Amino acid sequence: MKSFILTLSCPDRPGIVAAITQNLAEQTFNILDSQQYSAPETGQYFMRIGFEGDTSSAQVERQLADIAGEFDMNLQVADATARPRVLILLSKFDHCLIDLIYRQQVGSLKMEIAAIASNHETGRHWAQDANLAYHTLGGREAKADNEAKLDALIEQDSIDLVILARYMQVLTPEFVARHSGRIINIHHSFLPSFKGAEPYSQAHERGVKIIGATAHFVTADLDEGPIITQGVEPVRHDMNVASFIDVGRDTERRTLARAVRLLTERRVFLNGNKTVVFE
Amino acid sequence: MKSFILTLSCPDRPGIVAAITQNLAEQTFNILDSQQYSAPETGQYFMRIGFEGDTSSAQVERQLADIAGEFDMNLQVADATARPRVLILLSKFDHCLIDLIYRQQVGSLKMEIAAIASNHETGRHWAQDANLAYHTLGGREAKADNEAKLDALIEQDSIDLVILARYMQVLTPEFVARHSGRIINIHHSFLPSFKGAEPYSQAHERGVKIIGATAHFVTADLDEGPIITQGVEPVRHDMNVASFIDVGRDTERRTLARAVRLLTERRVFLNGNKTVVFE
Amino acid sequence: MKSFILTLSCPDRPGIVAAITQNLAEQTFNILDSQQYSAPETGQYFMRIGFEGDTSSAQVERQLADIAGEFDMNLQVADATARPRVLILLSKFDHCLIDLIYRQQVGSLKMEIAAIASNHETGRHWAQDANLAYHTLGGREAKADNEAKLDALIEQDSIDLVILARYMQVLTPEFVARHSGRIINIHHSFLPSFKGAEPYSQAHERGVKIIGATAHFVTADLDEGPIITQGVEPVRHDMNVASFIDVGRDTERRTLARAVRLLTERRVFLNGNKTVVFE
Amino acid sequence: MKSFILTLSCPDRPGIVAAITQNLAEQTFNILDSQQYSAPETGQYFMRIGFEGDTSSAQVERQLADIAGEFDMNLQVADATARPRVLILLSKFDHCLIDLIYRQQVGSLKMEIAAIASNHETGRHWAQDANLAYHTLGGREAKADNEAKLDALIEQDSIDLVILARYMQVLTPEFVARHSGRIINIHHSFLPSFKGAEPYSQAHERGVKIIGATAHFVTADLDEGPIITQGVEPVRHDMNVASFIDVGRDTERRTLARAVRLLTERRVFLNGNKTVVFE
């Protein structure tokens, strides 16, 4: 008996759940857990089912192909033990990278870090230490080259998810469009507050009493992509920008790790400019 | 088109979901949301389905009676707009009572407070103000009389849920057994820390840095019932027991209100000595 | 022996603390607690001292008058048991009003609600119930009249603090200037996100995963005043704007109450466009 | 101009603050921040002053020696830039160790990790990677040898603080007494809940909805030492013990790091079986 995760979204209409679960039941598969949601704003239906059976994900997808077609479903079946292949991008700050590597190593995040790429050298040591490929990117002036290199990496390494783990360069709309729904970013503010550069300085300047971090899908609109999860931490009047950065480091890595966990467990769905998250 | 909530628990085995959703689909009911969980410790399956259709809850229950029998299901179908009838018990402290009344009034909690009973007079004013019946209970020495009175109230007023909103008297095991799964309590500590009397004094004595409150089902074992939800709040060295009580008041009412919301929305299931909560 | 709270701010320079505490020691007053902070951005020094002695606040202020003059101090001494006199303004939503009244009644907030004023009738019942004066204000078109009435109330009732407890009308810069540092507001968003009208709709539209509330001093710049404290609460994809409003009600009243507690305990200092908060 | 931190505790009586600050003012030192507290339960006074001046910590201590004697003060003056020398003990789990090393490296924790000791090899790699000495301890049967080795390390390396970063062996009361007030532990539960072994299993068994971690001073009574700080995280019904451990890993390292920061910044004072923490 193996475990699987079925995820689907489709235009809502009666009979979706019955069609799917009837089909699973006919194969004597056993449903372990499920979450379903009909989004009123978009008219989309979202479903995540964990089930077990003596089969393969490809076979289940074949079985469900007719139903998927009939209901116009975006449907995937994945082995519960399958590990999404991940490409991590970073610039100078390495705290998110280190944390992601550690969480992979201890089994907290079920992913395969296939490659790391950066326009700085800070992360190389950690990559080498973990036997992970570390690719060098150029600076801002080399954007076209960088993105060509990333496209190649994504292709070669069969990347499922690109994580901007404090990657400080803006991607072109074309690159983002090519990998739509597969790139996430950690922004070091509680969006939509403090978009753009140096959010901790902005937050300190404004005198907020709580700072935050936001994990979101990357879209062509900078810092405007669908939010996956957010984290916060209180701050005090006697903390300077450096203290905000220090506290924020922790919030960023936790918030990013939570987003990555939700994604690797296939709990996140795009719903227009928002997300549906089955926690 | 009306909205309904179906909840069920039963011994887990293949086909549960299909049987139910197939039946709903045949009536062209539309599933709005659903959560399902198979508990490994107890082998029980739990399901909550929100759906809409042109029918009544009684009719759906009839339709599903055969399936419910076949799978040995504990199954209910309720109107989504149905308001559980609630009996609130309190002693001297009225903050939870006031909050529950207010949340009912503004529509935050979808319940019908059918009656209030207390061995103190503190709450009477709030009850009268809201046109709610306020019944007087005796002290500890009158336990048998009190419980007879409560039994009668529960019967007469068709009470679905008894809320101990800082009711400081211990109920007999017999009373608890008669209303098993229908009585909840707010305990003013982060259980299992500080069971029993004066938990804030205990917490202050121990020098904890966070205090809490716990909403749980009442069982014969005092403060040992299945936990529904918990809340916490930081405290500091310069706070005395009175400050703990003050801070705690807020945590208690929020935690209790959250539990009541989860119950009135039919999101809580007993699973042995624990709960399954579909949030 | 009586307890007092001394608060001061002044341009920072050596000797401030010694001058003050030497003077207090000479009177054999006993310091119970103290917090002090030198703000690098503004060069201001802030101090709060709790002490006890056999004296009066006026007498201590006289004693310290020379030092206060020498160091250019903004210095106050208050009885620890003194209760600031408060004017509460609200419009339609009464949850913050009710909570403030209750917290005064149970002794959680050490203040005297001297009057309530509103352009709606929702709050009248609660005011009457607590024997508090309830003054009627006009709508937007009556702004000049309203503010004249408020000026009179503030004067007559010796108001120390004006609390906008969901008062939905914008005050004129002139009114704000006249009562600078004495008016606070609860804004129903995590500022600076979602300034202006209908922040919950804005937050829902953006798809944030955490919502918040901000208690801040009112200045001529709407929603830009110095922040006193902020509160947050997680939200989910299946919550609509009404659910945000419902969850937010709780966050608002808690955040406002925290701000009021900090102010009544004389723990908040203006420091340019920010606050120093000695918690 | 250099920065210093003065900390003291002594029996409370009038004149403490004046005596100290008068002395500091005479040297034209400038107070940057201060916190003071008189504990009613123990009658002790606690003070932390940050100040700057053209002097040395030894010289200030000499200057204050008479006052310290007169008031029976436990008084220290430290360079604000001084880094406490730390010995980290761990067993198998390395997440706290890795986090402490990283936080030292990025400057988040101002300490000097002088040595690491363990009865497992898990941490060696991380120690070597950071050029830190890694000492091998024996198992339970070698307790006397282990503690002799630790005594020697503490002596040789001038250790200020011993951190039990998931060290799973119980220290003898004699060892604890020898280093009283200098050993802290991270316990992986929200104390006093779930003392002793396998707290996550205990928490899972009880069905709590929030788990926690507690950083505390180590005393002869296991898990009963004065609490420095606590952290919490929500859990759900669908999480097994392994998930609790996974979530808890994060809470533990954050809570321990917060405690270490408070200690290295000299913000923590022992007050009987509790702590005073100037945050």
Side-chain angles (χ1 to χ4, degrees):
Chain A
M1 291 284 273
K2 290 167 62 186
S3 290
F4 301 90
I5 299 169
L6 179 157
T7 50
L8 70 83
S9 63
C10 64
D12 192 7
R13 63 179 234 223
I16 297 168
V17 188
I20 292 288
T21 57
Q22 180 67 23
N23 187 296
L24 297 182
E26 280 162 12
Q27 319 296 324
T28 66
F29 300 158
N30 197 25
I31 294 179
L32 300 173
D33 59 13
S34 178
Q35 281 182 282
Q36 298 158 30
Y37 177 64
S38 170
E41 306 101 324
T42 56
Q44 290 286 302
Y45 196 80
F46 301 91
M47 189 191 300
R48 180 188 186 275
I49 298 182
F51 66 93
E52 50 185 16
D54 188 12
T55 182
S56 75
S57 57
Q59 196 181 317
V60 183
E61 283 194 358
R62 271 195 304 276
Q63 256 168 241
L64 293 167
D66 287 353
I67 295 172
E70 184 194 336
F71 285 88
D72 198 14
M73 289 171 175
N74 179 353
L75 179 150
Q76 282 95 31
V77 178
D79 267 46
T81 56
R83 292 165 173 265
R85 296 179 60 79
V86 163
L87 167 63
I88 299 175
L89 304 191
L90 75 155
S91 293
K92 195 172 164 195
F93 295 110
D94 57 6
H95 53 283
C96 288
L97 173 70
I98 298 171
D99 195 48
L100 290 172
I101 293 175
Y102 181 72
R103 287 182 197 259
Q104 176 192 277
Q105 286 174 346
V106 295
S108 173
L109 290 178
K110 317 290 191 203
M111 63 181 174
E112 199 69 51
I113 301 177
I116 299 165
S118 177
N119 57 328
H120 282 76
E121 288 299 298
T122 345
R124 181 178 298 279
H125 163 77
W126 301 100
Q128 284 176 341
D129 203 52
N131 275 319
L132 299 170
Y134 193 84
H135 304 275
T136 303
L137 300 174
R140 248 151 233 183
E141 72 297 344
K143 188 165 288 192
D145 277 6
N146 287 344
E147 297 197 346
K149 194 176 284 189
L150 292 174
D151 278 334
L153 273 175
I154 291 167
E155 171 74 19
Q156 277 165 226
D157 286 337
S158 309
I159 297 300
D160 298 299
L161 179 64
V162 179
I163 302 174
L164 309 192
R166 297 300 307 273
Y167 182 63
M168 306 310 283
Q169 299 200 25
V170 178
L171 299 166
T172 63
E174 293 73 27
F175 182 85
V176 170
R178 275 198 297 280
H179 308 288
S180 175
R182 289 196 296 167
I183 315 179
I184 67 166
N185 180 47
I186 181 73
H187 184 74
H188 40 313
S189 87
F190 188 82
L191 286 176
S193 286
F194 312 129
K195 296 177 204 174
E198 308 211 357
Y200 292 126
S201 296
Q202 294 181 54
H204 192 264
E205 176 71 20
R206 179 62 185 90
V208 294
K209 298 298 186 186
I210 298 179
I211 57 172
T214 304
H216 62 94
F217 284 103
V218 175
T219 58
D221 269 344
L222 196 62
D223 302 331
E224 295 285 0
I227 294 172
I228 301 165
T229 188
Q230 299 186 288
V232 289
E233 197 73 19
V235 289
R236 295 189 317 272
H237 62 261
D238 59 355
M239 294 169 73
N240 56 18
V241 176
S243 303
F244 276 31
I245 290 171
D246 184 34
V247 166
R249 205 185 280 128
D250 215 49
T251 313
E252 292 163 33
R253 68 180 187 176
R254 274 194 302 140
T255 305
L256 179 57
R258 200 183 316 137
V260 172
R261 182 183 61 72
L262 291 167
L263 284 156
T264 55
E265 293 179 6
R266 310 180 78 84
R267 295 179 181 278
V268 183
F269 299 75
L270 279 166
N271 180 32
N273 69 332
K274 302 186 191 179
T275 60
V276 167
V277 178
F278 289 141
E279 250 179 305
Chain B
M1 292 283 273
K2 291 166 60 187
S3 291
F4 301 90
I5 299 169
L6 180 157
T7 49
L8 70 84
S9 63
C10 64
D12 193 6
R13 64 180 235 223
I16 298 167
V17 189
I20 292 288
T21 57
Q22 181 67 23
N23 187 298
L24 297 182
E26 280 162 12
Q27 319 296 326
T28 65
F29 300 157
N30 198 24
I31 294 180
L32 301 173
D33 58 14
S34 179
Q35 280 183 284
Q36 299 159 31
Y37 176 62
S38 169
E41 305 101 324
T42 56
Q44 289 286 301
Y45 196 81
F46 301 91
M47 189 192 300
R48 180 188 187 275
I49 298 182
F51 66 92
E52 52 184 16
D54 188 10
T55 182
S56 75
S57 56
Q59 196 180 318
V60 183
E61 283 194 359
R62 271 195 303 277
Q63 253 168 242
L64 293 168
D66 288 352
I67 294 172
E70 183 194 338
F71 284 88
D72 198 16
M73 288 171 175
N74 181 351
L75 179 150
Q76 282 95 32
V77 179
D79 267 45
T81 56
R83 292 165 174 263
R85 294 179 61 78
V86 163
L87 167 62
I88 299 176
L89 304 191
L90 75 154
S91 293
K92 195 172 165 194
F93 295 111
D94 57 5
H95 53 282
C96 288
L97 172 71
I98 298 171
D99 195 48
L100 290 172
I101 293 175
Y102 182 71
R103 288 183 196 259
Q104 176 192 276
Q105 286 173 346
V106 295
S108 174
L109 290 178
K110 317 290 190 202
M111 63 181 175
E112 199 68 52
I113 301 178
I116 300 167
S118 177
N119 56 327
H120 281 76
E121 287 299 297
T122 346
R124 181 179 298 277
H125 162 78
W126 300 101
Q128 285 176 340
D129 204 52
N131 275 319
L132 298 170
Y134 193 84
H135 304 274
T136 303
L137 300 174
R140 249 151 233 185
E141 70 297 345
K143 187 166 290 188
D145 276 5
N146 287 343
E147 297 196 346
K149 194 176 282 189
L150 293 174
D151 279 333
L153 273 175
I154 291 169
E155 173 71 21
Q156 277 165 225
D157 286 337
S158 308
I159 297 300
D160 298 299
L161 179 65
V162 179
I163 301 175
L164 309 191
R166 297 301 307 272
Y167 183 62
M168 306 311 282
Q169 300 199 25
V170 178
L171 299 166
T172 63
E174 293 72 29
F175 182 86
V176 170
R178 277 197 296 282
H179 309 288
S180 175
R182 288 196 295 167
I183 315 178
I184 66 165
N185 180 48
I186 181 73
H187 184 74
H188 40 312
S189 86
F190 187 82
L191 287 177
S193 288
F194 313 128
K195 296 176 204 175
E198 308 213 357
Y200 292 127
S201 296
Q202 295 181 52
H204 192 263
E205 175 70 23
R206 179 60 186 92
V208 295
K209 299 298 187 186
I210 299 179
I211 58 172
T214 304
H216 62 93
F217 284 103
V218 175
T219 58
D221 270 343
L222 195 64
D223 301 333
E224 295 285 359
I227 294 172
I228 300 165
T229 187
Q230 301 185 285
V232 289
E233 197 73 20
V235 289
R236 294 186 320 269
H237 62 262
D238 58 356
M239 295 169 72
N240 54 20
V241 176
S243 304
F244 276 31
I245 290 171
D246 184 34
V247 166
R249 206 185 278 127
D250 215 50
T251 314
E252 291 163 34
R253 67 180 188 178
R254 274 194 301 137
T255 305
L256 179 57
R258 200 183 316 136
V260 174
R261 183 183 60 70
L262 291 167
L263 283 156
T264 55
E265 293 178 7
R266 312 180 77 84
R267 296 179 181 278
V268 183
F269 298 75
L270 279 166
N271 181 32
N273 69 332
K274 302 187 191 178
T275 61
V276 167
V277 179
F278 290 141
E279 251 179 302
Chain C
M1 292 282 272
K2 290 167 59 186
S3 291
F4 301 91
I5 299 168
L6 179 157
T7 49
L8 71 82
S9 62
C10 64
D12 192 7
R13 62 181 235 222
I16 297 168
V17 188
I20 292 288
T21 58
Q22 181 66 24
N23 187 296
L24 297 182
E26 280 162 12
Q27 321 296 325
T28 65
F29 299 157
N30 198 24
I31 294 179
L32 300 173
D33 60 12
S34 178
Q35 280 183 281
Q36 299 158 30
Y37 176 64
S38 170
E41 305 100 326
T42 57
Q44 289 287 300
Y45 196 80
F46 301 90
M47 191 190 301
R48 180 187 187 275
I49 298 182
F51 65 93
E52 51 185 15
D54 187 11
T55 183
S56 75
S57 57
Q59 196 182 316
V60 183
E61 283 194 357
R62 272 196 304 276
Q63 254 169 242
L64 293 169
D66 287 354
I67 295 171
E70 185 194 336
F71 285 88
D72 199 14
M73 287 171 176
N74 180 352
L75 178 150
Q76 282 95 32
V77 179
D79 267 46
T81 57
R83 290 165 175 265
R85 294 178 62 76
V86 162
L87 167 63
I88 299 175
L89 305 191
L90 75 155
S91 292
K92 195 172 164 194
F93 295 110
D94 57 7
H95 53 284
C96 288
L97 173 70
I98 299 171
D99 194 48
L100 291 172
I101 292 175
Y102 182 72
R103 288 183 196 258
Q104 176 191 276
Q105 286 173 344
V106 294
S108 173
L109 291 178
K110 318 290 191 201
M111 64 180 176
E112 200 68 51
I113 301 177
I116 300 165
S118 177
N119 57 328
H120 281 77
E121 288 299 298
T122 346
R124 182 178 298 277
H125 163 79
W126 301 101
Q128 284 176 339
D129 203 53
N131 275 318
L132 298 170
Y134 193 85
H135 304 274
T136 303
L137 300 174
R140 247 150 235 185
E141 70 299 343
K143 187 166 289 190
D145 277 5
N146 287 344
E147 297 196 346
K149 192 175 285 189
L150 292 174
D151 279 333
L153 273 176
I154 291 168
E155 173 72 20
Q156 277 166 225
D157 286 336
S158 308
I159 296 301
D160 299 299
L161 180 64
V162 180
I163 302 174
L164 309 191
R166 299 298 309 272
Y167 183 61
M168 306 311 284
Q169 299 200 25
V170 179
L171 299 165
T172 64
E174 293 73 28
F175 181 86
V176 170
R178 278 198 296 282
H179 308 287
S180 175
R182 289 196 295 166
I183 315 177
I184 67 165
N185 180 47
I186 181 72
H187 184 75
H188 41 313
S189 85
F190 188 83
L191 287 175
S193 286
F194 313 128
K195 296 177 205 175
E198 308 213 357
Y200 292 126
S201 295
Q202 294 182 53
H204 192 264
E205 175 70 21
R206 179 61 185 91
V208 295
K209 298 298 187 185
I210 299 180
I211 58 172
T214 303
H216 63 93
F217 284 103
V218 174
T219 59
D221 269 343
L222 195 64
D223 302 332
E224 294 284 0
I227 294 171
I228 300 165
T229 188
Q230 300 186 285
V232 289
E233 197 73 18
V235 288
R236 294 188 318 271
H237 62 262
D238 58 356
M239 295 168 72
N240 56 19
V241 176
S243 304
F244 277 30
I245 290 171
D246 184 34
V247 166
R249 206 185 280 127
D250 215 49
T251 313
E252 291 164 32
R253 69 180 187 175
R254 274 194 302 139
T255 304
L256 179 58
R258 201 184 314 137
V260 173
R261 183 183 61 71
L262 291 167
L263 283 156
T264 55
E265 294 179 4
R266 310 179 76 85
R267 297 179 180 280
V268 183
F269 299 75
L270 278 167
N271 181 33
N273 70 332
K274 303 187 193 179
T275 61
V276 167
V277 178
F278 289 141
E279 251 180 304
Chain D
M1 292 283 272
K2 290 165 61 186
S3 291
F4 301 90
I5 300 169
L6 179 156
T7 50
L8 70 83
S9 63
C10 64
D12 193 6
R13 62 181 236 220
I16 297 168
V17 188
I20 292 288
T21 57
Q22 181 66 22
N23 187 297
L24 297 182
E26 280 162 12
Q27 319 296 326
T28 65
F29 300 157
N30 199 24
I31 294 179
L32 300 173
D33 59 13
S34 179
Q35 281 182 283
Q36 299 158 31
Y37 176 63
S38 171
E41 306 100 324
T42 57
Q44 290 286 301
Y45 197 80
F46 300 91
M47 190 191 298
R48 181 188 186 276
I49 298 182
F51 66 93
E52 51 184 15
D54 188 9
T55 183
S56 76
S57 56
Q59 195 181 316
V60 183
E61 283 194 359
R62 272 195 303 276
Q63 255 169 238
L64 293 169
D66 287 354
I67 295 170
E70 185 193 337
F71 285 87
D72 198 15
M73 287 171 176
N74 180 352
L75 178 150
Q76 282 95 32
V77 179
D79 269 45
T81 56
R83 289 164 175 264
R85 295 178 61 76
V86 163
L87 166 63
I88 299 175
L89 304 192
L90 75 153
S91 293
K92 196 173 164 193
F93 295 109
D94 57 7
H95 54 283
C96 288
L97 173 71
I98 298 172
D99 194 47
L100 290 172
I101 293 175
Y102 182 72
R103 288 183 196 258
Q104 176 191 277
Q105 286 172 345
V106 294
S108 174
L109 290 178
K110 317 290 190 201
M111 64 181 173
E112 199 69 50
I113 301 177
I116 299 165
S118 177
N119 57 327
H120 280 78
E121 288 299 297
T122 344
R124 181 177 298 278
H125 163 77
W126 301 100
Q128 284 176 340
D129 203 53
N131 274 320
L132 298 170
Y134 193 84
H135 303 274
T136 303
L137 299 174
R140 249 149 232 186
E141 71 298 342
K143 187 166 289 188
D145 277 6
N146 287 344
E147 296 196 347
K149 194 176 282 188
L150 292 174
D151 278 333
L153 272 176
I154 291 169
E155 172 72 22
Q156 276 164 227
D157 286 336
S158 309
I159 296 301
D160 298 299
L161 179 65
V162 179
I163 302 174
L164 309 192
R166 296 301 306 273
Y167 182 62
M168 306 311 283
Q169 300 199 23
V170 178
L171 299 166
T172 64
E174 294 73 29
F175 182 86
V176 169
R178 278 198 296 280
H179 308 289
S180 175
R182 289 196 296 168
I183 315 179
I184 67 166
N185 180 47
I186 181 75
H187 184 74
H188 41 313
S189 86
F190 188 81
L191 288 177
S193 287
F194 313 128
K195 297 176 203 174
E198 308 211 359
Y200 291 127
S201 295
Q202 293 181 54
H204 192 264
E205 176 70 21
R206 179 61 186 92
V208 295
K209 298 300 187 184
I210 299 180
I211 57 171
T214 303
H216 62 93
F217 283 103
V218 175
T219 59
D221 269 343
L222 195 65
D223 301 332
E224 294 285 359
I227 294 172
I228 301 165
T229 189
Q230 300 185 285
V232 288
E233 197 73 20
V235 289
R236 293 189 320 271
H237 62 262
D238 59 355
M239 295 168 72
N240 56 19
V241 176
S243 304
F244 277 31
I245 291 171
D246 185 34
V247 165
R249 205 185 280 127
D250 215 50
T251 313
E252 292 164 33
R253 67 180 189 179
R254 275 195 300 139
T255 304
L256 179 57
R258 201 183 315 136
V260 173
R261 183 182 61 70
L262 291 168
L263 284 157
T264 56
E265 294 178 7
R266 311 179 77 85
R267 296 179 181 278
V268 183
F269 299 74
L270 278 167
N271 180 32
N273 69 332
K274 303 187 191 178
T275 60
V276 167
V277 178
F278 289 142
E279 249 177 305

